[in-house]
């Protein structure tokens, strides 16, 4: 899988727009931050990816508004904690791989 953008240092980002090339393989944004750091994103838009957002590490991720569109896997994978999202908009999420429910 190819990651389109990575953030691994703290900071403020006004608007981030990501459009993937392969809805079955691309990862839109990967945020990996240490426990003492904070990443603030005002507006995040991710389109045409398999997984739009992966967050790892124990640092704080604040997103005022996030829009996920046309993705083929999970919308957000959180491998840690400390994620705060003000407004979440999801559109046209359809699996690109078979999913089986556990019964």
């Amino acid at each position: 899988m190819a990651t389109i953008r990575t953030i691994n240092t703290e900071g403020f980002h006004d608007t981030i727009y990501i459009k993937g090339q392969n809805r079955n393989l691309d990862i839109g944004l990967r945020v990996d931050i240490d426990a003492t750091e904070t990443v603030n994103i005002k507006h995040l838009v991710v389109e045409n990816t398999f997984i739009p957002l992966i967050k790892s590490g124990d640092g704080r991720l604040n997103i005022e508004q996030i829009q996920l569109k046309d993705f083929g896997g999970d919308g957000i994978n959180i491998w840690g904690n400390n994620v705060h999202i003000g407004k979440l908009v999801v559109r046209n999420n359809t699996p690109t791989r078979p999913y089986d429910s556990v019964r």
Side-chain angles (χ1 to χ4, degrees):
M1 288 196 187
T3 301
I4 297 171
R5 182 159 178 188
T6 301
I7 296 175
N8 53 19
T9 58
E10 69 179 345
F12 174 79
H13 304 269
D14 187 40
T15 299
I16 297 175
Y17 175 78
I18 296 169
K19 185 169 185 176
Q21 298 296 315
N22 189 331
R23 189 175 176 191
N24 199 38
L25 295 175
D26 290 345
I27 296 170
L29 176 64
R30 183 184 300 262
V31 178
D32 183 15
I33 45 179
D34 293 331
T36 59
E37 297 181 334
T38 301
V39 171
N40 293 298
I41 301 172
K42 185 172 183 178
H43 190 204
L44 174 64
V45 178
V46 184
E47 299 179 0
N48 198 44
T49 60
F50 184 63
I51 302 172
L53 174 63
I54 295 177
K55 193 272 185 186
S56 58
D58 292 327
R60 184 177 176 99
L61 173 60
N62 298 319
I63 302 174
E64 268 186 52
Q65 181 176 347
I66 181 171
Q67 180 178 331
L68 309 177
K69 183 179 175 189
D70 298 323
F71 58 94
D74 296 336
I76 301 171
N77 281 353
I78 301 172
W79 305 343
N81 58 19
N82 224 349
V83 176
H84 304 270
I85 298 172
K87 182 179 180 182
L88 172 65
V89 178
V90 177
R91 293 194 172 106
N92 302 330
N93 59 317
T94 53
T96 59
R97 299 177 185 170
Y99 278 88
D100 294 326
S101 56
V102 179
R103 294 175 192 231

